Amino acid sequence: MSVLVTGGAGFIGSHITEALLQRGHEVVVLDNLDPYYDVDIKRQNIERCREIETGRFEFVEGSITDERLVEEVFSTYDVEFVYHEAARAGVRTSVEQPLFYERNNVGGLLTLLEAATDHGVERFVNASSSSVYGRPDYLPYDEAHPNYPKSPYGTTKLAAEHYCKVWQSVHGLPTVSLRYFTVYGPRMRPNMAISNFVSRGLNGEPPVIYGDGEQTRDFTYIDDVVAANLRLLETDAADGEVLNIGSTDNITITELADHVISQVDSELEPIYEAEQQADARHTHADVSKARDLIGYAPSTDIREGVGEFIEWYRQNREWYEPLVVSS
């Protein structure tokens, strides 16, 4: 199958791309190498994909907002399936640049939906986010929970979900939106809590916690996210749906910091700073809908996953750590 992965040079997109190539698919990645974080990580991801001998890999540098380029990609590579992972991430910076987020996360999506419709794509999988929930009326969140996004980023992700449903209803394009809950693992974005805690701990510096540390997060290991995405190659059971993709577990930020400290053999004490604007207070996923429709079964809890990430970090410290520190 010919598969387009937008944002395929990024963290989640590159893992999906690798998995597709290992299964023999033809994969074209469209990515603009946005310097939101150090692009050397993205270039490393691209090179890893080039080295996979199964499947066929093509990389196109450019933006999903470029209508001419998007049309050219769909035509040239005869795209049959789309994993849309490209977006400007970051709830905090979206507060400062709302129009930029709207143009990329909503405008870019619409460009892709139009091209996918024109070219008869089999299925369009949209990467959404737990940021659409905002604040809890109850926990864990199920997909019927009301949406109260606290940031322009979360708002753009919610708008994208609605557009996907409209496109399926009006144009017959099968779409699925996956609401990711704080994904982590090897090659993760460097400006995230886990990567920062690990980097600081290994360098004898205390973790920095924003707020009181009692915030909770449902951290989802990258392998579980990839498994959910690949399942959508095999089934139409989720067409037209929105699904939570989380771990079913959660942990306070202070507990996470303490666990990282214990894993890196440190006796450091966390530092607490002012809470950041637009951050959600709690996230916790009910994944029963994804389990029922696509057989989703998360396999890695946060404590096990952090251990695996720390081991990967130690092995890749020479090239990865400077990029974490610089962010």
Side-chain angles (χ1 to χ4, degrees):
M1 181 174 289
S2 178
V3 183
L4 169 63
V5 182
T6 69
F11 168 43
I12 298 174
S14 66
H15 279 273
I16 293 173
T17 298
E18 282 186 274
L20 290 167
L21 291 169
Q22 289 163 356
R23 286 158 178 77
H25 295 289
E26 298 180 359
V27 184
V28 56
V29 162
L30 175 61
D31 197 300
N32 68 350
L33 301 182
D34 188 327
Y36 177 69
Y37 59 91
D38 200 311
V39 297
D40 283 346
I41 294 180
K42 298 180 180 182
R43 294 192 178 101
Q44 289 265 1
N45 292 339
I46 294 166
E47 290 309 308
R48 285 178 60 91
C49 292
R50 292 192 196 282
E51 293 169 0
I52 297 174
E53 296 181 357
T54 52
R56 192 186 85 186
F57 175 71
E58 299 288 346
F59 172 68
V60 177
E61 183 174 351
S63 173
I64 58 173
T65 64
D66 185 335
E67 295 181 20
R68 181 178 298 178
L69 178 61
V70 168
E71 172 60 30
E72 181 180 330
V73 167
F74 274 82
S75 299
T76 302
Y77 298 101
D78 194 21
V79 174
E80 301 171 81
F81 200 104
V82 177
Y83 286 109
H84 176 43
E85 306 298 317
R88 170 52 78 94
V91 296
R92 298 171 188 172
T93 52
S94 74
V95 174
E96 302 164 2
Q97 304 172 10
L99 289 176
F100 183 82
Y101 277 74
E102 179 73 15
R103 293 188 191 106
N104 282 270
N105 296 1
V106 179
L109 170 87
L110 289 173
T111 299
L112 291 165
L113 287 173
E114 288 191 320
T117 301
D118 291 343
H119 290 270
V121 163
E122 180 178 323
R123 184 165 298 113
F124 188 102
V125 181
N126 171 53
S128 189
S129 167
S130 61
S131 295
V132 303
Y133 292 115
R135 61 175 172 82
D137 287 345
Y138 55 86
L139 290 171
Y141 293 117
D142 58 30
E143 291 83 354
H145 189 286
N147 303 117
Y148 312 110
K150 294 184 63 178
S151 67
Y153 170 78
T155 303
T156 64
K157 285 298 187 179
L158 184 58
E161 290 183 4
H162 287 302
Y163 273 120
C164 285
K165 288 187 174 184
V166 166
W167 242 253
Q168 175 151 342
S169 174
V170 174
H171 300 289
L173 173 68
T175 67
V176 183
S177 290
L178 302 181
R179 288 177 179 168
Y180 300 150
F181 281 69
T182 317
V183 187
Y184 72 102
R187 311 199 309 273
M188 69 185 293
R189 249 173 54 207
N191 53 355
M192 301 288 284
I194 291 176
S195 53
N196 280 321
F197 288 178
V198 171
S199 175
R200 292 180 67 85
L202 288 173
N203 287 286
E205 300 175 6
V208 177
I209 295 174
Y210 297 98
D212 61 12
E214 293 306 303
Q215 311 96 307
T216 60
R217 290 290 180 271
D218 188 330
F219 289 98
T220 314
Y221 197 63
I222 184 61
D223 290 356
D224 291 328
V225 171
V226 171
N229 278 278
L230 292 184
R231 184 74 180 101
L232 295 173
L233 282 171
E234 306 164 351
T235 178
D236 61 2
D239 284 355
E241 299 290 345
V242 173
L243 304 179
N244 286 340
I245 303 299
S247 72
T248 75
D249 188 16
N250 69 350
I251 188 172
T252 69
I253 300 301
T254 294
E255 289 172 336
L256 173 65
D258 289 343
H259 181 65
V260 169
I261 288 169
S262 71
Q263 293 292 298
V264 299
D265 299 320
S266 172
E267 297 181 357
L268 298 165
E269 293 291 334
I271 296 173
Y272 292 84
E273 295 189 358
E275 186 173 359
Q276 296 291 297
Q277 187 180 21
D279 282 357
R281 182 70 178 170
H282 301 291
T283 67
H284 191 191
D286 178 343
V287 300
S288 56
K289 184 177 178 182
R291 181 190 63 229
D292 294 344
L293 290 180
I294 65 172
Y296 175 65
S299 60
T300 306
D301 69 29
I302 181 61
R303 291 162 182 82
E304 176 188 0
V306 164
E308 293 185 14
F309 176 70
I310 291 172
E311 179 60 27
W312 175 87
Y313 192 109
R314 292 183 191 276
Q315 294 175 5
N316 294 272
R317 190 171 180 178
E318 183 176 351
W319 72 267
Y320 181 71
E321 185 168 85
L323 306 182
V324 176
V325 172
S326 67
S327 65

